[in-house]
Amino acid sequence: MPQSQQLYQRELSGGTLSVTTASDLPLETLFDIAERKNPKRAFLFVSKVLGRHIPVSPSTMQETYVQLAEQIPEVLPGPVLFIGMAETAVGMAAGIFRAARQHIAEPVFITSTRHPVDGELLCEFKENHSHATDHLIYQPQDPQLRQRALTARTLVLIDDEATTGNTFINLLQALRSAGLTQIERVVTVTLTDWSGDALQQNSPLPVDIVSLVNGRWAWAPRPDAPVPEMPSVNVTARGSWPVSQRQDWGRLGMDETSCNLTTPPVDFAGERILVLGSGEFVWQPFLLAERLEQEGAEVKFSSLTRSPIAPGHAIQSTLAFSDNYGLGIPNFVYNVAHQQFDRIIICVETAPESVCHTLLEALQQSVAPRVEVISYE
Protein backbone atom coordinates (compact mmCIF):
# COMPACT_ATOMS: atom_id res chain seq x y z
CA MET A 1 0.00 0.00 0.00
CA PRO A 2 1.52 3.40 -0.95
CA GLN A 3 2.28 5.74 1.94
CA SER A 4 0.27 8.96 2.23
CA GLN A 5 1.99 12.30 1.81
CA GLN A 6 2.74 14.17 5.03
CA LEU A 7 2.97 17.98 4.98
CA TYR A 8 4.95 19.88 7.59
CA GLN A 9 4.72 23.68 7.40
CA ARG A 10 6.05 26.52 9.56
CA GLU A 11 5.63 30.28 9.29
CA LEU A 12 8.86 32.13 10.06
CA SER A 13 9.57 35.85 10.01
CA GLY A 14 11.43 35.49 6.72
CA GLY A 15 8.94 33.28 4.94
CA THR A 16 7.20 29.90 4.94
CA LEU A 17 8.96 26.54 5.05
CA SER A 18 7.08 23.52 3.71
CA VAL A 19 8.29 19.92 3.91
CA THR A 20 6.57 16.97 2.25
CA THR A 21 7.40 13.34 2.90
CA ALA A 22 5.86 9.93 2.38
CA SER A 23 7.17 8.69 5.72
CA ASP A 24 4.72 7.47 8.34
CA LEU A 25 7.03 8.71 11.11
CA PRO A 26 5.57 11.91 12.63
CA LEU A 27 8.04 14.64 11.70
CA GLU A 28 7.39 16.48 14.98
CA THR A 29 9.12 13.64 16.83
CA LEU A 30 12.35 14.21 14.90
CA PHE A 31 12.78 17.95 14.60
CA ASP A 32 11.40 21.42 14.99
CA ILE A 33 12.23 24.54 13.00
CA ALA A 34 14.16 27.63 14.03
CA GLU A 35 15.37 30.78 12.31
CA ARG A 36 19.02 31.09 11.37
CA LYS A 37 20.90 34.32 11.89
CA ASN A 38 22.26 33.75 8.41
CA PRO A 39 21.35 35.64 5.23
CA LYS A 40 22.28 32.59 3.07
CA ARG A 41 19.53 30.40 4.52
CA ALA A 42 16.81 31.66 6.82
CA PHE A 43 15.72 28.40 8.46
CA LEU A 44 17.23 25.53 10.40
CA PHE A 45 16.03 22.00 11.09
CA VAL A 46 16.60 21.57 14.84
CA SER A 47 16.86 17.90 15.69
CA LYS A 48 15.17 16.44 18.76
CA VAL A 49 17.42 13.33 18.73
CA LEU A 50 20.85 14.80 17.93
CA GLY A 51 21.83 16.27 21.31
CA ARG A 52 23.17 19.54 19.91
CA HIS A 53 20.60 22.34 20.20
CA ILE A 54 18.06 20.45 22.33
CA PRO A 55 19.29 18.37 25.31
CA VAL A 56 18.58 14.67 24.71
CA SER A 57 19.17 11.51 26.73
CA PRO A 58 22.21 9.47 25.60
CA SER A 59 20.03 6.38 25.19
CA THR A 60 17.77 8.20 22.73
CA MET A 61 20.81 9.32 20.76
CA GLN A 62 22.20 5.78 20.73
CA GLU A 63 18.90 4.38 19.42
CA THR A 64 19.14 6.81 16.53
CA TYR A 65 22.74 5.76 15.77
CA VAL A 66 21.70 2.11 15.63
CA GLN A 67 18.65 2.80 13.43
CA LEU A 68 20.83 4.57 10.87
CA ALA A 69 23.72 2.09 11.08
CA GLU A 70 21.35 -0.79 10.38
CA GLN A 71 20.39 0.81 7.07
CA ILE A 72 23.98 1.02 5.82
CA PRO A 73 24.58 -1.80 3.31
CA GLU A 74 26.53 -4.62 4.96
CA VAL A 75 28.45 -5.55 1.83
CA LEU A 76 30.59 -2.58 0.85
CA PRO A 77 33.92 -2.59 -0.98
CA GLY A 78 36.65 -1.96 1.59
CA PRO A 79 38.42 -0.09 2.93
CA VAL A 80 35.44 1.99 4.06
CA LEU A 81 36.09 5.61 5.04
CA PHE A 82 33.50 7.22 7.32
CA ILE A 83 33.58 11.03 7.50
CA GLY A 84 31.55 13.06 10.01
CA MET A 85 30.76 16.69 9.23
CA ALA A 86 31.81 19.35 11.71
CA GLU A 87 30.57 20.69 13.88
CA THR A 88 27.03 19.46 14.24
CA ALA A 89 27.38 15.85 13.11
CA VAL A 90 30.74 14.88 14.69
CA GLY A 91 29.20 12.96 17.60
CA MET A 92 26.40 11.49 15.53
CA ALA A 93 28.91 10.23 12.97
CA ALA A 94 31.11 8.63 15.62
CA GLY A 95 28.05 6.92 17.10
CA ILE A 96 26.99 5.54 13.73
CA PHE A 97 30.56 4.36 13.12
CA ARG A 98 30.58 2.55 16.47
CA ALA A 99 27.30 0.81 15.63
CA ALA A 100 28.29 -0.11 12.06
CA ARG A 101 32.01 -0.90 12.19
CA GLN A 102 31.66 -4.54 13.29
CA HIS A 103 30.29 -5.60 9.89
CA ILE A 104 32.39 -3.21 7.78
CA ALA A 105 35.56 -4.27 5.96
CA GLU A 106 38.62 -2.23 7.01
CA PRO A 107 36.74 0.70 8.58
CA VAL A 108 38.28 4.06 9.45
CA PHE A 109 36.63 7.20 10.81
CA ILE A 110 37.65 10.84 10.53
CA THR A 111 35.84 14.14 10.97
CA SER A 112 36.12 17.43 9.21
CA THR A 113 37.22 20.32 11.41
CA ARG A 114 37.50 24.07 11.64
CA HIS A 115 40.25 23.83 14.26
CA PRO A 116 43.69 23.29 12.66
CA VAL A 117 45.81 20.70 14.52
CA ASP A 118 49.27 19.20 14.12
CA GLY A 119 48.79 16.70 11.32
CA GLU A 120 49.01 16.25 7.57
CA LEU A 121 46.20 17.97 5.73
CA LEU A 122 44.34 15.81 3.21
CA CYS A 123 41.96 18.37 1.69
CA GLU A 124 39.72 21.36 2.24
CA PHE A 125 36.14 21.90 1.12
CA LYS A 126 33.27 24.35 1.44
CA GLU A 127 29.85 24.17 3.09
CA ASN A 128 28.48 27.11 1.17
CA HIS A 129 25.26 27.78 3.10
CA SER A 130 26.85 27.45 6.54
CA HIS A 131 27.66 30.07 9.16
CA ALA A 132 31.24 28.72 8.94
CA THR A 133 31.97 27.63 5.38
CA ASP A 134 35.50 26.21 5.50
CA HIS A 135 36.25 22.60 6.47
CA LEU A 136 39.61 20.82 6.85
CA ILE A 137 40.17 17.07 6.52
CA TYR A 138 43.36 15.57 8.00
CA GLN A 139 44.99 12.27 7.22
CA PRO A 140 44.83 9.72 10.05
CA GLN A 141 47.95 9.58 12.23
CA ASP A 142 48.01 5.79 12.61
CA PRO A 143 49.78 4.25 9.56
CA GLN A 144 47.21 1.47 9.11
CA LEU A 145 44.27 3.86 9.36
CA ARG A 146 46.00 6.29 7.01
CA GLN A 147 46.44 3.53 4.44
CA ARG A 148 42.77 2.60 4.75
CA ALA A 149 41.71 6.21 4.22
CA LEU A 150 43.96 6.81 1.22
CA THR A 151 42.91 3.57 -0.50
CA ALA A 152 39.22 3.71 0.44
CA ARG A 153 36.82 2.19 -2.08
CA THR A 154 33.66 3.20 -0.20
CA LEU A 155 32.94 6.60 1.29
CA VAL A 156 30.30 7.00 4.03
CA LEU A 157 29.45 10.68 4.51
CA ILE A 158 27.49 11.60 7.63
CA ASP A 159 25.70 14.86 8.43
CA ASP A 160 22.66 15.77 10.48
CA GLU A 161 20.59 16.72 7.44
CA ALA A 162 20.79 17.26 3.70
CA THR A 163 18.82 19.99 2.01
CA THR A 164 20.53 20.23 -1.39
CA GLY A 165 23.33 17.65 -1.18
CA ASN A 166 25.87 20.25 -2.32
CA THR A 167 28.14 19.87 0.72
CA PHE A 168 28.48 16.12 0.13
CA ILE A 169 29.31 16.74 -3.54
CA ASN A 170 31.88 19.40 -2.60
CA LEU A 171 33.57 16.98 -0.20
CA LEU A 172 33.57 14.11 -2.69
CA GLN A 173 35.21 16.31 -5.31
CA ALA A 174 37.84 17.52 -2.82
CA LEU A 175 38.73 13.96 -1.78
CA ARG A 176 39.06 12.75 -5.36
CA SER A 177 41.24 15.76 -6.19
CA ALA A 178 43.40 14.95 -3.14
CA GLY A 179 44.18 11.49 -4.54
CA LEU A 180 41.38 9.25 -3.28
CA THR A 181 40.76 7.94 -6.76
CA GLN A 182 39.83 4.40 -5.77
CA ILE A 183 36.46 5.42 -4.34
CA GLU A 184 33.77 3.59 -6.28
CA ARG A 185 30.72 3.87 -4.04
CA VAL A 186 29.25 6.56 -1.78
CA VAL A 187 26.77 6.23 1.09
CA THR A 188 25.24 9.37 2.61
CA VAL A 189 23.75 9.12 6.10
CA THR A 190 21.55 11.83 7.60
CA LEU A 191 18.73 12.14 10.09
CA THR A 192 16.61 13.92 7.48
CA ASP A 193 17.23 14.11 3.74
CA TRP A 194 15.36 16.74 1.75
CA SER A 195 17.68 16.72 -1.27
CA GLY A 196 15.44 14.59 -3.49
CA ASP A 197 17.42 13.01 -6.31
CA ALA A 198 20.01 15.81 -6.43
CA LEU A 199 22.79 13.63 -5.02
CA GLN A 200 22.32 10.86 -7.56
CA GLN A 201 22.10 13.39 -10.38
CA ASN A 202 25.21 15.36 -9.39
CA SER A 203 27.49 12.62 -8.07
CA PRO A 204 30.00 11.05 -10.48
CA LEU A 205 29.72 7.81 -8.46
CA PRO A 206 26.81 5.58 -7.35
CA VAL A 207 25.16 6.86 -4.17
CA ASP A 208 23.15 5.00 -1.51
CA ILE A 209 21.03 7.34 0.63
CA VAL A 210 20.34 6.46 4.27
CA SER A 211 18.09 8.60 6.49
CA LEU A 212 15.31 8.33 9.04
CA VAL A 213 12.99 10.32 6.76
CA ASN A 214 13.32 11.87 3.34
CA GLY A 215 11.27 14.17 1.20
CA ARG A 216 11.36 17.63 -0.29
CA TRP A 217 11.35 21.15 1.09
CA ALA A 218 10.19 24.47 -0.33
CA TRP A 219 10.96 27.94 0.95
CA ALA A 220 8.61 30.84 0.13
CA PRO A 221 10.42 34.01 1.23
CA ARG A 222 8.49 37.00 2.51
CA PRO A 223 9.34 39.94 0.20
CA ASP A 224 9.51 42.53 2.98
CA ALA A 225 11.38 40.33 5.46
CA PRO A 226 14.47 41.91 7.07
CA VAL A 227 17.81 40.35 6.16
CA PRO A 228 19.19 38.57 9.25
CA GLU A 229 22.52 39.78 10.61
CA MET A 230 24.96 36.93 11.26
CA PRO A 231 27.57 37.13 14.05
CA SER A 232 31.18 36.77 12.92
CA VAL A 233 31.73 33.03 13.43
CA ASN A 234 33.24 32.06 10.05
CA VAL A 235 36.68 31.29 11.47
CA THR A 236 38.91 28.32 10.69
CA ALA A 237 42.05 28.97 12.75
CA ARG A 238 44.00 28.17 15.88
CA GLY A 239 42.92 30.18 18.91
CA SER A 240 44.87 31.45 21.90
CA TRP A 241 43.95 28.35 23.96
CA PRO A 242 45.82 25.23 22.75
CA VAL A 243 43.75 22.20 21.81
CA SER A 244 44.50 18.92 23.61
CA GLN A 245 47.04 16.71 21.89
CA ARG A 246 44.64 13.78 22.38
CA GLN A 247 42.95 13.61 18.98
CA ASP A 248 41.80 10.01 19.28
CA TRP A 249 38.12 10.76 18.65
CA GLY A 250 38.06 11.89 15.04
CA ARG A 251 40.19 14.67 13.60
CA LEU A 252 43.25 12.45 13.16
CA GLY A 253 41.49 9.13 12.65
CA MET A 254 39.68 6.62 14.86
CA ASP A 255 39.08 2.88 14.77
CA GLU A 256 38.05 1.86 18.29
CA THR A 257 35.84 3.89 20.61
CA SER A 258 36.29 4.07 24.37
CA CYS A 259 35.55 6.73 26.98
CA ASN A 260 38.76 8.46 28.04
CA LEU A 261 37.14 11.17 30.16
CA THR A 262 37.12 10.64 33.92
CA THR A 263 34.97 12.23 36.60
CA PRO A 264 35.56 12.60 40.36
CA PRO A 265 34.72 9.49 42.44
CA VAL A 266 31.18 10.61 43.22
CA ASP A 267 27.98 8.58 43.20
CA PHE A 268 25.88 10.29 40.53
CA ALA A 269 22.98 7.81 40.74
CA GLY A 270 19.64 9.58 40.87
CA GLU A 271 21.05 12.99 39.97
CA ARG A 272 19.69 15.08 37.13
CA ILE A 273 22.82 15.75 35.10
CA LEU A 274 23.44 17.76 31.96
CA VAL A 275 26.64 16.88 30.12
CA LEU A 276 27.79 19.54 27.66
CA GLY A 277 30.26 18.88 24.91
CA SER A 278 31.97 21.87 23.29
CA GLY A 279 31.98 22.62 19.57
CA GLU A 280 33.47 19.65 17.75
CA PHE A 281 34.55 17.97 20.98
CA VAL A 282 31.42 15.90 21.62
CA TRP A 283 32.19 12.20 21.22
CA GLN A 284 34.17 11.68 24.41
CA PRO A 285 31.64 13.82 26.35
CA PHE A 286 28.81 11.72 24.91
CA LEU A 287 30.53 8.52 26.05
CA LEU A 288 30.80 10.02 29.53
CA ALA A 289 27.11 10.94 29.51
CA GLU A 290 26.23 7.45 28.32
CA ARG A 291 28.26 5.89 31.14
CA LEU A 292 26.63 8.12 33.79
CA GLU A 293 23.19 7.19 32.47
CA GLN A 294 24.04 3.50 32.64
CA GLU A 295 25.17 4.01 36.25
CA GLY A 296 21.76 5.36 37.26
CA ALA A 297 21.84 9.10 36.71
CA GLU A 298 19.11 10.95 34.83
CA VAL A 299 21.24 12.39 32.05
CA LYS A 300 20.72 14.78 29.16
CA PHE A 301 23.39 15.65 26.61
CA SER A 302 23.90 18.81 24.58
CA SER A 303 26.74 21.03 23.43
CA LEU A 304 28.20 24.50 23.24
CA THR A 305 28.09 25.65 19.63
CA ARG A 306 29.06 28.51 17.33
CA SER A 307 25.81 28.14 15.34
CA PRO A 308 23.87 31.44 15.55
CA ILE A 309 20.12 30.79 15.90
CA ALA A 310 17.36 33.30 16.63
CA PRO A 311 15.16 32.75 19.70
CA GLY A 312 11.66 31.39 19.16
CA HIS A 313 10.11 28.26 17.67
CA ALA A 314 12.49 25.38 18.59
CA ILE A 315 14.73 27.68 20.65
CA GLN A 316 13.15 28.33 24.03
CA SER A 317 16.24 29.82 25.68
CA THR A 318 19.72 30.98 24.74
CA LEU A 319 22.93 31.74 26.60
CA ALA A 320 25.65 33.64 24.70
CA PHE A 321 29.31 33.78 25.73
CA SER A 322 32.86 33.73 24.32
CA ASP A 323 34.28 30.55 22.83
CA ASN A 324 36.70 28.38 24.82
CA TYR A 325 39.25 28.17 21.96
CA GLY A 326 40.29 31.79 22.26
CA LEU A 327 39.09 32.63 18.74
CA GLY A 328 37.12 35.62 19.95
CA ILE A 329 33.87 34.39 18.42
CA PRO A 330 30.48 34.09 20.11
CA ASN A 331 29.29 30.71 21.30
CA PHE A 332 25.86 29.65 22.43
CA VAL A 333 24.06 26.97 24.39
CA TYR A 334 20.42 26.50 23.51
CA ASN A 335 17.38 25.22 25.43
CA VAL A 336 19.28 24.93 28.72
CA ALA A 337 18.71 28.22 30.57
CA HIS A 338 15.01 27.51 31.18
CA GLN A 339 15.67 24.04 32.66
CA GLN A 340 16.83 22.76 36.05
CA PHE A 341 19.54 20.19 36.79
CA ASP A 342 21.39 19.01 39.88
CA ARG A 343 24.75 19.11 38.13
CA ILE A 344 26.21 20.33 34.85
CA ILE A 345 29.45 18.85 33.50
CA ILE A 346 31.11 20.91 30.76
CA CYS A 347 33.69 18.94 28.76
CA VAL A 348 36.34 20.81 26.78
CA GLU A 349 39.49 19.97 24.82
CA THR A 350 41.14 23.17 26.02
CA ALA A 351 42.25 24.15 29.53
CA PRO A 352 39.51 24.43 32.18
CA GLU A 353 40.33 28.15 32.52
CA SER A 354 39.31 28.66 28.89
CA VAL A 355 35.59 28.31 29.68
CA CYS A 356 33.92 31.71 29.71
CA HIS A 357 32.96 32.96 33.19
CA THR A 358 29.79 34.47 31.74
CA LEU A 359 28.60 30.98 30.90
CA LEU A 360 29.62 29.48 34.25
CA GLU A 361 27.93 32.24 36.24
CA ALA A 362 24.71 32.05 34.23
CA LEU A 363 24.48 28.28 34.68
CA GLN A 364 25.21 28.43 38.42
CA GLN A 365 22.77 31.26 39.05
CA SER A 366 19.71 29.77 37.37
CA VAL A 367 20.22 26.24 36.05
CA ALA A 368 22.27 24.03 38.41
CA PRO A 369 23.90 24.45 41.84
CA ARG A 370 26.95 22.46 40.73
CA VAL A 371 28.78 23.29 37.51
CA GLU A 372 32.02 21.45 36.76
CA VAL A 373 34.54 21.69 33.92
CA ILE A 374 36.44 18.63 32.72
CA SER A 375 39.39 19.08 30.39
CA TYR A 376 40.57 16.39 27.95
CA GLU A 377 44.21 16.03 29.04
Side-chain angles (χ1 to χ4, degrees), residues 18-240:
S18 301
V19 175
T20 55
T21 175
S23 171
D24 291 331
L25 186 66
L27 299 184
E28 291 81 0
T29 64
L30 281 182
F31 62 85
D32 200 349
I33 299 298
E35 301 197 35
R36 290 177 184 262
K37 292 183 179 179
N38 187 339
K40 302 174 190 176
R41 184 175 292 169
F43 60 90
L44 177 71
F45 293 95
V46 180
S47 172
K48 295 181 178 180
V49 297
L50 183 65
R52 167 64 62 166
H53 306 115
I54 297 175
V56 179
S57 70
S59 55
T60 296
M61 297 167 67
Q62 170 60 11
E63 288 172 8
T64 302
Y65 303 156
V66 171
Q67 288 175 17
L68 289 168
E70 288 176 342
Q71 295 184 53
I72 296 175
E74 291 196 15
V75 181
L76 293 171
V80 180
L81 172 58
F82 289 70
I83 298 182
M85 307 292 280
E87 97 186 328
T88 303
V90 167
M92 167 186 163
I96 292 169
F97 177 77
R98 180 178 68 171
R101 64 177 300 278
Q102 299 302 328
H103 60 77
I104 295 293
E106 300 179 274
V108 57
F109 173 81
I110 54 179
T111 74
S112 70
T113 182
R114 298 181 179 109
H115 296 281
V117 294
D118 294 331
E120 189 171 345
L121 193 64
L122 176 61
C123 69
E124 304 177 42
F125 69 98
K126 296 279 188 181
E127 184 180 6
N128 295 325
H129 70 272
S130 176
H131 54 277
T133 58
D134 299 327
H135 288 252
L136 308 175
I137 299 278
Y138 284 90
Q139 296 189 24
Q141 272 186 326
D142 178 83
Q144 182 184 52
L145 298 186
R146 175 179 293 208
Q147 181 66 15
R148 289 181 184 179
L150 296 178
T151 60
R153 295 171 60 204
T154 299
L155 187 61
V156 181
L157 303 179
I158 304 172
D159 208 350
D160 58 317
E161 51 98 5
T163 47
T164 65
N166 288 339
T167 302
F168 286 147
I169 296 298
N170 290 348
L171 174 52
L172 175 59
Q173 292 173 341
L175 291 169
R176 282 156 60 93
S177 297
L180 273 66
T181 56
Q182 298 183 49
I183 298 172
E184 58 191 69
R185 189 171 178 182
V186 178
V187 181
T188 64
V189 184
T190 58
L191 295 170
T192 54
D193 189 315
W194 314 118
S195 62
D197 57 0
L199 276 166
Q200 289 96 333
Q201 287 186 353
N202 297 319
S203 173
L205 300 173
V207 180
D208 295 280
I209 295 179
V210 170
S211 65
L212 295 182
V213 296
N214 61 77
R216 295 184 179 274
W217 63 274
W219 173 249
R222 187 166 288 115
D224 58 347
V227 177
E229 184 175 341
M230 184 170 66
S232 180
V233 296
N234 190 12
V235 179
T236 299
R238 294 177 189 258
S240 58

